Amino acid sequence: MTFLSNLGPWAWFVLGALLLVAEIAAPGAFLLWLGLAALATGALGLVADLSWQVQVVAFAALAVVAVLVGRKVSPSPGKASDRPFLNRRAQGFVGRVFTLDEPIVDGTGRVRIDDTVWRVTGPDTAAGTDVKVMAADGPTLTVKRA
């Protein structure tokens, strides 16, 4: 304990750095705010000569404020995205109509969408026919004649 008291406000900088490193090692965006509160407490301790008790209370108050601010600026996990099909590109094709690149033979064919060729399944259909995407299962689109 005397080692920490000898460090003075620098102990808060050490604690803040450790918390920030812990946030990098185990991300969850919670230790970040506590680390920033510890760094702010260290800065406060450098500016004003505060007892360790006042520094602990200041850290607690700054931690609460930092966590509340962090909750305001961080996106909430349940919030709808402006790009809902970003990682589910095939789902964005459901309901759209495309022209077959290759015929569907024995239930399998290909369609070109933008710069990508997609595997399609459905009833046998000639190349050049318009098909409507009914479902998407991974990289395979299920289609029917439009």
Side-chain angles (χ1 to χ4, degrees):
M1 189 69 176
T2 59
F3 173 71
L4 290 178
S5 62
N6 288 341
L7 279 178
W10 292 103
W12 291 107
F13 290 115
V14 170
L15 176 63
L18 289 174
L19 287 168
L20 293 177
V21 168
E23 176 67 32
I24 292 170
F30 188 76
L31 295 177
L32 168 70
W33 308 113
L34 297 179
L36 292 176
L39 294 175
T41 304
L44 188 64
L46 285 177
V47 173
D49 186 29
L50 305 173
S51 67
W52 69 267
Q53 295 93 342
V54 173
Q55 289 180 23
V56 169
V57 170
F59 171 71
L62 287 170
V64 168
V65 169
V67 168
L68 292 176
V69 168
R71 288 184 60 143
K72 280 285 190 198
V73 299
S74 298
S76 59
K79 187 177 178 185
S81 171
D82 61 339
R83 296 186 291 176
F85 299 116
L86 179 64
N87 293 324
R88 299 178 303 129
R89 187 172 168 200
Q91 297 295 325
F93 300 140
V94 175
R96 294 180 53 191
V97 176
F98 300 102
T99 303
L100 281 177
D101 235 20
E102 296 177 15
I104 299 176
V105 178
D106 294 330
T108 304
R110 300 203 185 283
V111 65
R112 178 176 295 278
I113 301 174
D114 298 328
D115 62 347
T116 307
V117 177
W118 290 81
R119 179 176 185 234
V120 295
T121 60
D124 289 356
T125 309
T129 305
D130 287 340
V131 292
K132 182 176 183 177
V133 178
M134 302 308 293
D137 182 24
T140 304
L141 305 174
T142 303
V143 298
K144 72 173 188 174
R145 288 189 182 104

